[in-house]
Amino acid sequence: MKKSNNVCFLLFFILITFSFNALAQSQFKISGNVIDSLKKPVEGVSIRLITDKDTLRSNSDAKGNFTFAKVSRNKFYLSITGLGYKPFASIYEIESSKKNAELDPIMLKAESIKLDDVEVKVKVDPIKIKKDTIEYNAGAYTIRENDKVEDLLKQLQGIEVDEKGAVTAMGKKMTKLRVNGEDFFTSNVEDYIRQLPADIIAKLQVIDDYGDEANFTGIKTGTPQKMLNLVTKPGMDKGVFGGANMSSATNNAHNLNTNGSIWKKTKQIGFGGRYGITNNEFTKMNNGGLNGNIRDKISKEFSLNGSYNFSNGTNRSIQSNYLETFNPQGTIYDLRESANNSNSLNNNINLGLNGATKKNYFNASLAGSIASVQNDAFSTSNKTGFIRQDLSSNSGSRNSNPNLNGSINWSRRLSNNKRSLSMGFNFGTNGGNSSSTINDMIRYYNETTNILVKDSILNRLVENNTSSSNFGGNIQFSNSLKKAKDSTGYSFINISYRFSLSRSRNLQTTTVTNPFGNSFVVDSLGQDYVSNFINQNISIGYNTNKNRISYNVGVNFSPSIIIGKYQDTGQELRNYQLNFSPSANLSYQFKDNGNLSFGYNGYTNSPDFNKLQPIRNNNDVQNQIIGNPDLKATSSHTADFSYNKFDVKSKLSVMAGLSGTFAINSVVSNTVFLRDTLNSLKQQTTYENVNGIYNVGGNYSLNKRMLDNKLSLSVNGNIAYSHNVFYTDNVLNRSSGINVSNGFNFNLNQKKYSFNTNASYSFSSNTYSVMNQNIKNVQVLALSGSASWIPSKRFRVNASASKSLNFGYSLYAGNPLLVNMGLNTSFLKGNKLLFSLQANDLFNQGALFSTSISNNSISENRTRFISRFIQATLSYNLSQFGNKRSKINSNINTEE
């Protein structure tokens, strides 16, 4: 009996052993990745994997990854839950021969959470810094009744909003707007930051965006654009908003605006209209426009968008310009005055189709426009110094420019997402017809006595007919260099080819009228040519992306050819180019809320055909132009470095950047002075290639937040150095310039009041080898401050003042003191009706003034306008988001 028991035990042991072996052989390893709608990893969600026998549990890590090492069946049920996200559930079945399986990325959608009204006071960190994203927590900043997203953006470090609503992040323009990771209406930042209420926003993200196709394929090369993504609070991802306002000002300016938007997550419909009139001694405007747009998800994968814009306007303006041009023979001083009257009519339409599945990405767009412009101008030019001449010009022009362009792009993931293929093509066509009547009178003076010697009158009619078309395409293939079971990141190599073909025709005729009233065509003042441009680009790159670091390196080869033919003479022009340029980008994420990035890119630009053609262009009788057929393409190289860091304990954030550009074979003009038939001086311009043009600069911003983020102290500034090379009278010259600015800002934001003050100093100096000395030093010391007082939800008082001290300008810039005051009050339930009164420039010292430097010339510009006026605005606002009406009003003041 005992022997029988031993045999049974042995058989049972063998059976159990074989069972374990069989079980071990049937185990599978399942891994996957969880992302949100922005394709960012989701950390900490709960994941359950259920077979017919077992239930396994896990959580996603910081990269959104999860792994189940011992799954007993190849068919299983996967369930994912996380706070703020809709639950995910799906049944999977993998091939029984695959022991290691990686699932496609799983996207979780945000879910609205309804809570009872509870006031919770917690300390939140205002900034979170990631590899390619800087995230601002809206809860860390002061949001008052009636505040818009624009008011919130103005509180964020490193972000600036100008008076027109344009947003820049560390000096780079914000080009795209999204809400909750989805394109928002027209995606125009300026259009909606003044409409969306600030209190529906949970987070604001400034993202380095490489484009939708790059996000799909993972191939992020080139220079990224800045994108603003707004993350709304739960339940605030839909709404109806808009309104109407009308304003009237004492400078005889009157405006009427209306707009409306319906936002239902996947469907967006918007419309708007405006009309404005201004009529005073300096400005005459009569502008109107209509616009509409729609964006809708027509299926689970595809969305359609379209927009139409119509505008019509009449504008009159007066400008002053002072130009100093340095020449080895002497300096030319040119004081110009101009009055312009223009009438424009524009129609624009855009259509787009976008789609994405797990394996495919598709995008198609079509855009067309018809524009016509009529312009009449009267200008005077008074030259002194090396040349003593006066020019009076009266001109009128008519232009019509229709155009059409479109593109199609497609990408597909291959081989278990380890490979991808992308293809695309684009086309465009446009035409133009213009007719210009130009009447010039030139007065010549004796260079010594300044006595009028003679004058010359030239009346001519210039007609232009242009047409151009282009076609291009691209193909790109990438292959992963990582093994399928490696989940630490990805690395791949990509190869791409791009080409473009373009053809243009230009026909210009010039008819001259002599003093006796006889008209005749002057062949030397006309052109008739056809140009063809063929460009190709071949690039090879290597990309890698890991937990904290990502980088890519690559090289580009760009062969090109320009072929031109003159129809009247049969003369041909051929210009061949072969260029090489490298690229490199790196991004590193620190553990303690900081990042560091570096980018280097090279690109080439072939010279414009007008600068290549050796035919003399006499359109401007005072400046003849002759092209150079031997010009080489310009090779430009840019590099930038940025560092961002926020310390949670000290509430100190640091943002800094360095950038530089340099060019090889830059195309510059060479201007020489010649004697004309009247023995007076005139200019002749040719073009040459030069080396030695470069720019370097840096910027910084230090911000310290105190009093629960209510008080902000910041120091910021930038420095830039530029080196330029140019020709004057066949002599190679160099110029250099340095610009330095620094500022200090104090900002206090409370619910009932806010106060902001700023002090800044800027200095610019430019040195020219022509004169071998500092020619222009400009210094500006500026002080400014603003304050708001909100005694109740229905009343607000605003005031601002600025004083600038200007030194070094040739035109009178003055030292203006600008003081503005305003008050706003609201009526009706929900504060829907708003009345505001704004007084601008109480001491009448404002002016639009700017300066610019080009080669051997310094230009100063002043636009005359009435700066002191009082404006009254009445607005009605509709603002409904989520399931409750928010008490938020619209534009406090609308000023064109």
Side-chain angles (χ1 to χ4, degrees):
M1 187 72 180
K2 184 175 181 181
K3 183 177 181 180
S4 176
N5 289 339
N6 292 337
V7 172
C8 291
F9 179 80
L10 180 60
L11 292 174
F12 177 75
F13 177 81
I14 294 173
L15 179 63
I16 292 298
T17 302
F18 275 106
S19 298
F20 273 108
N21 289 335
L23 182 62
Q25 291 174 0
S26 64
Q27 288 181 345
F28 300 89
K29 181 180 179 181
I30 306 298
S31 60
N33 180 258
V34 185
I35 59 176
D36 60 14
S37 59
L38 284 174
K39 297 181 175 58
K40 303 292 184 182
V42 179
E43 180 183 2
V45 294
S46 177
I47 305 169
R48 289 191 305 160
L49 188 150
I50 303 172
T51 63
D52 54 357
K53 292 185 177 181
D54 303 311
T55 298
L56 305 177
R57 290 178 172 82
S58 181
N59 294 301
S60 59
D61 62 16
K63 295 184 292 183
N65 296 327
F66 65 88
T67 301
F68 292 98
K70 297 180 179 180
V71 179
S72 60
R73 295 288 185 268
N74 65 326
K75 187 175 181 180
F76 54 89
Y77 174 84
L78 194 69
S79 171
I80 303 177
T81 57
L83 182 63
Y85 296 98
K86 293 182 178 179
F88 172 87
S90 181
I91 296 176
Y92 290 86
E93 184 173 3
I94 63 174
E95 297 179 12
S96 58
S97 60
K98 295 183 67 174
K99 300 305 178 183
N100 297 303
E102 182 177 351
L103 306 179
D104 291 335
I106 299 171
M107 180 181 293
L108 299 184
K109 296 183 179 180
E111 181 181 40
S112 304
I113 302 176
K114 296 181 180 179
L115 299 173
D116 295 333
D117 293 335
V118 178
E119 183 179 2
V120 181
K121 293 185 178 180
V122 295
K123 292 185 178 181
V124 294
D125 297 327
I127 301 176
K128 186 175 183 180
I129 299 175
K130 305 176 183 179
K131 269 195 301 187
D132 57 357
T133 303
I134 299 179
E135 184 177 274
Y136 302 87
N137 193 326
Y141 301 90
T142 301
I143 299 176
R144 306 177 194 83
E145 195 81 14
N146 305 328
D147 273 359
K148 301 297 181 183
V149 171
E150 178 186 19
D151 301 304
L152 182 56
L153 285 169
K154 290 179 179 179
Q155 299 182 51
L156 308 184
Q157 184 194 4
I159 293 182
E160 295 181 359
V161 184
D162 67 14
E163 65 278 0
K164 295 182 179 180
V167 183
T168 57
M170 290 302 289
K172 296 183 178 180
K173 182 176 173 59
M174 202 81 69
T175 58
K176 185 187 294 185
L177 171 69
R178 284 184 171 174
V179 176
N180 297 327
E182 301 289 339
D183 289 327
F184 194 71
F185 290 90
T186 62
S187 293
N188 191 337
V189 179
E190 292 92 333
D191 287 346
Y192 292 97
I193 62 171
R194 291 180 171 176
Q195 295 188 50
L196 290 174
D199 65 354
I200 70 169
I201 304 300
K203 299 176 182 178
L204 305 94
Q205 297 171 330
V206 177
I207 301 172
D208 289 333
D209 179 50
Y210 292 85
D212 293 339
E213 188 172 355
N215 292 330
F216 179 82
T217 62
I219 304 173
K220 298 181 178 181
T221 59
T223 303
Q225 303 293 317
K226 291 294 183 182
M227 180 176 71
L228 175 64
N229 181 60
L230 304 175
V231 181
T232 62
K233 295 177 180 178
M236 294 296 175
D237 56 352
K238 59 182 178 180
V240 178
F241 58 97
N245 70 74
M246 56 183 179
S247 64
S248 183
T250 55
N251 62 342
N252 205 15
H254 315 281
N255 293 278
L256 175 64
N257 295 273
T258 182
N259 61 80
S261 300
I262 301 173
W263 176 30
K264 294 184 177 180
K265 297 184 180 180
T266 60
K267 178 176 289 188
Q268 304 168 9
I269 301 175
F271 64 89
R274 59 181 176 81
Y275 179 74
I277 182 171
T278 301
N279 191 356
N280 54 56
E281 60 178 313
F282 295 126
T283 305
K284 182 178 181 180
M285 294 193 303
N286 191 337
N287 299 312
L290 296 171
N291 64 81
N293 61 82
I294 184 170
R295 188 182 298 274
D296 191 15
K297 207 159 184 104
I298 57 178
S299 70
K300 184 179 180 181
E301 292 85 11
F302 286 91
S303 63
L304 178 71
N305 64 278
S307 66
Y308 171 74
N309 185 284
F310 165 80
S311 64
N312 184 22
T314 300
N315 295 276
R316 175 180 177 268
S317 62
I318 299 176
Q319 286 188 326
S320 299
N321 176 267
Y322 182 78
L323 187 69
E324 292 184 30
T325 303
F326 309 105
N327 187 277
Q329 301 183 50
T331 303
I332 303 171
Y333 307 94
D334 190 359
L335 179 60
R336 302 176 181 178
E337 300 281 346
S338 64
N340 293 275
N341 292 276
S342 66
N343 186 288
S344 62
L345 179 66
N346 294 278
N347 290 272
N348 297 275
I349 187 169
N350 294 273
L351 298 172
L353 179 65
N354 301 274
T357 65
K358 293 181 179 180
K359 292 291 185 180
N360 295 279
Y361 167 82
F362 178 81
N363 169 267
S365 65
L366 183 67
S369 67
I370 299 177
S372 61
V373 179
Q374 175 181 331
N375 186 74
D376 297 301
F378 176 78
S379 63
T380 61
S381 171
N382 303 113
K383 291 185 174 68
T384 58
F386 173 54
I387 296 179
R388 180 68 175 93
Q389 292 177 3
D390 292 341
L391 171 65
S392 298
S393 180
N394 191 355
S395 64
S397 64
R398 310 293 183 267
N399 299 277
S400 177
N401 300 96
N403 70 77
L404 179 70
N405 58 79
S407 66
I408 295 178
N409 296 282
W410 169 79
S411 297
R412 179 172 175 82
R413 294 191 179 109
L414 308 171
S415 302
N416 197 25
N417 299 331
K418 297 303 180 182
R419 296 176 181 174
S420 67
L421 177 67
S422 301
M423 301 177 66
F425 78 90
N426 59 82
F427 69 92
T429 177
N430 62 76
N433 295 286
S434 67
S435 176
S436 302
T437 302
I438 306 171
N439 302 312
D440 293 337
M441 174 179 283
I442 305 175
R443 294 183 176 88
Y444 301 91
Y445 296 86
N446 183 282
E447 298 176 2
T448 304
T449 63
N450 286 331
I451 297 176
L452 179 65
V453 177
K454 54 183 175 294
D455 57 41
S456 174
I457 299 176
L458 179 62
N459 302 322
R460 59 196 186 276
L461 172 66
V462 181
E463 294 181 300
N464 274 285
N465 291 283
T466 61
S467 63
S468 65
S469 58
N470 62 80
F471 174 82
N474 66 84
I475 183 169
Q476 179 175 266
F477 174 77
S478 67
N479 184 48
S480 175
L481 303 179
K482 286 281 188 178
K483 296 181 180 179
K485 64 180 181 180
D486 192 342
S487 61
T488 59
Y490 63 78
S491 295
F492 56 83
I493 188 169
N494 62 282
I495 302 174
S496 67
Y497 170 75
R498 299 176 183 271
F499 75 93
S500 63
L501 309 173
S502 64
R503 176 184 175 87
S504 63
R505 170 75 185 273
N506 185 294
L507 174 61
Q508 176 182 292
T509 59
T510 302
T511 303
V512 174
T513 303
N514 63 22
F516 303 102
N518 300 320
S519 301
F520 52 92
V521 176
V522 181
D523 293 336
S524 62
L525 298 180
Q527 294 181 355
D528 186 2
Y529 65 84
V530 175
S531 64
N532 298 276
F533 178 65
I534 304 172
N535 183 62
Q536 302 176 83
N537 180 274
I538 303 170
S539 65
I540 302 174
Y542 172 79
N543 296 256
T544 188
N545 189 358
K546 296 184 179 180
N547 184 26
R548 296 192 178 276
I549 188 171
S550 62
Y551 61 88
N552 65 74
V553 293
V555 292
N556 300 276
F557 301 91
S558 302
S560 64
I561 179 175
I562 297 177
I563 303 174
K565 183 176 182 180
Y566 298 90
Q567 302 296 98
D568 49 356
T569 65
Q571 183 179 356
E572 286 193 356
L573 164 68
R574 292 177 180 267
N575 185 281
Y576 300 91
Q577 307 285 344
L578 177 59
N579 301 285
F580 161 82
S581 60
S583 65
N585 292 276
L586 173 115
S587 179
Y588 181 76
Q589 173 75 38
F590 296 112
K591 291 183 179 180
D592 50 353
N593 206 12
N595 71 8
L596 180 139
S597 65
F598 170 80
Y600 172 80
N601 291 280
Y603 55 93
T604 58
N605 288 318
S606 295
D608 182 81
F609 182 78
N610 291 319
K611 295 180 180 180
L612 290 169
Q613 56 177 347
I615 305 301
R616 187 182 301 271
N617 185 338
N618 293 309
N619 290 343
D620 186 346
V621 294
Q622 292 301 103
N623 184 17
Q624 299 178 352
I625 298 176
I626 304 175
N628 179 1
D630 297 323
L631 288 177
K632 299 177 181 179
T634 301
S635 177
S636 301
H637 303 264
T638 65
D640 59 83
F641 169 86
S642 66
Y643 172 79
N644 301 288
K645 178 74 168 60
F646 176 71
D647 187 90
V648 176
K649 293 182 179 180
S650 65
K651 302 295 183 183
L652 176 66
S653 56
V654 179
M655 297 181 180
L658 295 173
S659 63
T661 64
F662 71 93
I664 301 173
N665 291 324
S666 300
V667 177
V668 300
S669 60
N670 178 21
T671 301
V672 298
F673 289 92
L674 305 173
R675 293 288 175 178
D676 61 14
T677 57
L678 299 175
N679 199 34
S680 296
L681 292 174
K682 65 178 181 179
Q683 299 180 74
Q684 177 179 283
T685 299
T686 57
Y687 300 96
E688 304 288 343
N689 286 117
V690 298
N691 295 320
I693 296 179
Y694 60 89
N695 300 275
V696 294
N699 58 75
Y700 71 92
S701 173
L702 305 176
N703 183 272
K704 171 73 173 179
R705 306 194 69 85
M706 297 176 287
L707 303 179
D708 291 333
N709 296 314
K710 306 298 183 184
L711 176 63
S712 169
L713 301 177
S714 62
V715 180
N716 54 73
N718 62 74
I719 181 171
Y721 176 81
S722 62
H723 186 268
N724 204 5
V725 180
F726 57 93
Y727 278 94
T728 54
D729 270 348
N730 297 316
V731 177
L732 187 64
N733 292 281
R734 294 174 174 82
S735 67
S736 60
I738 185 169
N739 296 274
V740 180
S741 66
N742 289 278
F744 172 79
N745 183 271
F746 173 93
N747 195 337
L748 178 62
N749 280 284
Q750 298 285 354
K751 285 290 184 180
K752 293 291 185 179
Y753 62 89
S754 67
F755 180 76
N756 177 276
T757 184
N758 181 273
S760 65
Y761 170 78
S762 65
F763 170 81
S764 65
S765 177
N766 296 277
T767 304
Y768 292 87
S769 62
V770 176
M771 308 297 290
N772 197 27
Q773 59 180 349
N774 288 337
I775 299 300
K776 181 68 67 175
N777 290 330
V778 174
Q779 301 178 72
V780 179
L781 177 63
L783 302 173
S784 64
S786 63
S788 294
W789 177 45
I790 308 100
S792 69
K793 293 181 178 180
R794 294 185 178 272
F795 196 77
R796 176 184 293 196
V797 179
N798 305 304
S800 65
S802 65
K803 174 68 175 179
S804 62
L805 304 177
N806 303 294
F807 307 95
Y809 289 107
S810 297
L811 283 178
Y812 176 70
N815 300 309
L817 173 63
L818 306 179
V819 178
N820 307 314
M821 295 191 68
L823 58 89
N824 312 285
T825 185
S826 57
F827 308 91
L828 302 183
K829 184 179 179 180
N831 297 332
K832 288 185 175 63
L833 188 64
L834 178 72
F835 174 77
S836 65
L837 196 64
Q838 182 74 25
N840 294 273
D841 191 12
L842 297 181
F843 300 114
N844 197 27
Q845 297 185 15
L848 291 179
F849 192 83
S850 64
T851 181
S852 62
I853 298 170
S854 175
N855 292 336
N856 60 326
S857 299
I858 298 176
S859 177
E860 297 176 3
N861 299 279
R862 180 195 300 274
T863 301
R864 302 183 198 177
F865 70 109
I866 295 177
S867 60
R868 180 170 59 182
F869 60 89
I870 298 176
Q871 178 171 286
T873 303
L874 184 66
S875 304
Y876 179 83
N877 177 68
L878 174 64
S879 183
Q880 179 180 342
F881 292 88
N883 298 317
K884 65 176 184 178
R885 295 180 179 274
S886 55
K887 298 179 180 180
I888 303 168
N889 287 306
S890 182
N891 306 348
I892 290 187
N893 193 7
T894 302
E895 177 184 340
E896 294 292 327

